[in-house]
Amino acid sequence: MTTALTCRSCNAALNQTFADLGMSPISNAFIKPSMLRSSEKFYPLHAYVCSSCLLVQLEEVEAPTEIFNSEYAYFSSYSLSWLAHAQRYSKMMITKLQLNTNSQVIEIASNDGYLLQYFQAKNIPVLGIEPAANVAAVAEAKGITSLVEFFSVSTAQKLVHQGIQADLLLGNNVLAHVPDLNDFVAGMKIILRSNGVITMEFPHLLNLIQQNQFDTIYHEHFSYFSLLAVEKVFTRHGLTLFDVEEIPTHGGSLRIYLKHQENNVISIEPSIAALQAKEIQAGLDQIETYANYSAAVQATKRKLLAFLIAAKDQGKTVVGYGAPAKGNTLLNYCGIQTDLLAYTVDMSPHKQGLFLPGTHIPIYAPEHISVTKPDYLLILPWNLQNEIIEQMAMIRTWGGKFVVPIPEVTVMA
C-alpha cells in the first residue's frame, strides 16, 4: 500500500503533478572507476505542487545524510562568477547593516568558505554551518570556524545556549535542500538576534516555469519557491519578509530579506507587493499553471535528442562542459549516454576522473577538449554560459560551436 504524500510546508495532501522526470540517481553521486560494474540506485524524480499553499516539492527519497556525505563533490569556490557574486554581497551587507568586529555573521550551508572569507577579511566574526564534512574541512583550512551538522531547531538552541546569535543570518541555495522545512525555519527564528536580518537566496520558481529550467529539479532540491509560497512558510514562524531582489544567479534567483515579526524598526519595502503582483499576473496563484508545465519539459527533451541524433548522423562530435547536478537531471531524463555525448569536462579536480551518475559519461579536465577538438560543446551549467564561452573561446579556432540546452537547444558560433 502506497503511503499518501503530504506537503512539507502545510501538511496538505499532495496529488497534483508538476513534472515527472522518471527514475534518476542522486545528482551528485558520481561514480568511481572501480564502481562502474556495480549496481546503482535510481529513485523517482517526481515533482508535485501543493494545491493548498502552491509549494512545488519532491518527496524525500533519500536521507540528507546520504546525499551530503563525506564525499560530497560540490565546492562553491570553483566558479569565479559565483565568488564575485559572494564578494559583492558581503560588501553590500557590511555597508547596509554596518557590520563590524562586534557583529556576528552566520551562514547556513557555508560550503568551503566561499562567502564567509570576505566577511572574515574585514575582521567580522563568522560561523559556518555545513553538513558535508569534507567541504567544511576546506573552510576550516581557511580559518573559518565551521560546525559540521544539519541546521535545525536543536542546532539553534545549542548555539544560543553558547551565547551565539546572528546579526546577519544567511543561506544561499540551501532552502531548497531542506526536507524538514518547518524545523529549519523555526531554528532561524531562534538564532536571529532581535534586531538581526536574514537573507536567503534561491532559484525563482517563476523562471523555472517561464524559461523551462526543469533540469534544476533534482533529489537534493526538496522544494521550489515562488515568493507567494515562501512567504507563507516564514510568516508561520514569526518572520516577516521586508524586501526582495531579483538577481541573475542560477538562471534567475530571488534574494529575500527577513526580520522578526516583532521588529517595528525595519519597514516593508514596495518590492514585496510588486513581485507578488508579478507572480499573480503570471498565474502562480493558480493550480492550472503548475498542472500544465509538463508539456514544455517533454518538448525540450525531444528537441535536445533530435539535435544530438542529427549531429551523430552527420559524423559530428559532441562533448559536454561541466558536471553540475542540473546536467545529471537533464542527461538522465533524456536518456543521453556516451553514444551521443562522448565525455564532459569540469574545472573541479574533485570530479575529474569520475563518471556521471546514471549515464556513466566520463569527466575530464577542461584541457581534454583541446586534445579531441569536438564540433560542439554542450554547456550543462547553462547559468554560467557567459563565463564558460569566454573560458573556452579557443574551440572557435577549429570551428567548434557552443550549445545551450535550456530553455531550448541553441547553437552559438
Side-chain angles (χ1 to χ4, degrees), residues 128-395:
I129 302 172
E130 168 55 50
N134 64 319
V135 180
V138 176
E140 287 277 0
K142 298 175 183 175
I144 296 168
T145 302
S146 301
L147 181 62
V148 181
E149 64 179 71
F150 290 92
F151 182 77
S152 63
V153 164
S154 175
T155 307
Q157 290 172 335
K158 178 173 63 177
L159 291 172
V160 170
H161 183 70
Q162 297 171 8
I164 299 173
Q165 282 188 289
D167 296 287
L168 172 60
L169 177 64
L170 68 111
N172 288 345
N173 304 304
V174 60
L175 199 59
H177 293 74
V178 178
D180 193 342
L181 199 54
N182 288 308
D183 179 69
F184 185 88
V185 175
M188 295 177 74
K189 171 75 174 175
I190 292 168
I191 199 67
L192 185 68
R193 282 194 179 136
S194 60
N195 60 345
V197 167
I198 296 172
T199 72
M200 303 293 289
E201 295 181 17
F202 48 84
H204 191 188
L205 180 67
L206 181 61
N207 292 310
L208 190 157
I209 293 173
Q210 291 185 336
Q211 299 179 33
N212 200 21
Q213 299 169 353
F214 70 88
D215 58 343
T216 59
I217 298 172
Y218 44 92
H219 295 109
E220 289 177 33
H221 285 175
F222 296 105
S223 304
Y224 305 80
F225 297 98
S226 64
L227 184 68
L228 295 170
V230 81
E231 184 174 32
K232 293 174 184 176
V233 178
F234 283 99
T235 299
R236 187 180 300 119
H237 294 282
L239 293 166
T240 299
L241 273 74
F242 68 86
D243 199 2
V244 61
E245 299 171 18
E246 295 181 84
I247 56 179
T249 56
H250 295 282
S253 296
L254 296 183
R255 177 188 290 142
I256 59 174
Y257 295 76
L258 303 117
K259 63 175 182 174
H260 284 290
Q261 212 166 56
E262 305 82 8
N263 183 343
N264 296 318
V265 176
I266 300 175
S267 58
I268 297 176
E269 298 295 328
S271 57
I272 298 291
L275 187 54
Q276 288 171 336
K278 179 179 179 179
E279 290 189 345
I280 290 170
Q281 185 177 15
L284 293 194
D285 62 334
Q286 302 294 323
I287 193 69
E288 292 78 16
T289 301
Y290 303 86
N292 295 332
Y293 179 62
S294 290
V297 174
Q298 294 163 8
T300 296
K301 175 179 180 176
R302 292 192 297 271
K303 290 175 184 176
L304 179 57
L305 284 172
F307 166 78
L308 292 172
I309 292 169
K312 189 75 172 181
D313 288 345
Q314 295 164 14
K316 304 291 186 180
T317 55
V318 185
V319 305
Y321 187 101
K326 60 169 58 74
N328 289 325
T329 290
L330 180 72
L331 297 174
N332 278 286
Y333 172 62
C334 294
I336 296 167
Q337 299 182 349
T338 52
D339 57 334
L340 295 177
L341 194 71
Y343 65 84
T344 191
V345 300
D346 199 277
M347 283 187 67
S348 173
H350 302 280
K351 296 180 181 180
Q352 294 164 11
L354 302 178
F355 293 78
L356 298 183
T359 62
H360 292 191
I361 293 170
I363 308 168
Y364 297 102
E367 293 75 20
H368 195 65
I369 289 174
S370 296
V371 176
T372 67
K373 294 182 170 55
D375 298 293
Y376 296 104
L377 184 61
L378 178 65
I379 300 176
L380 296 173
W382 44 259
N383 54 299
L384 301 176
Q385 61 181 276
N386 293 336
E387 176 182 337
I388 293 166
I389 289 172
E390 181 180 353
Q391 177 193 337
M392 304 302 297
M394 82 286 187
I395 74 168

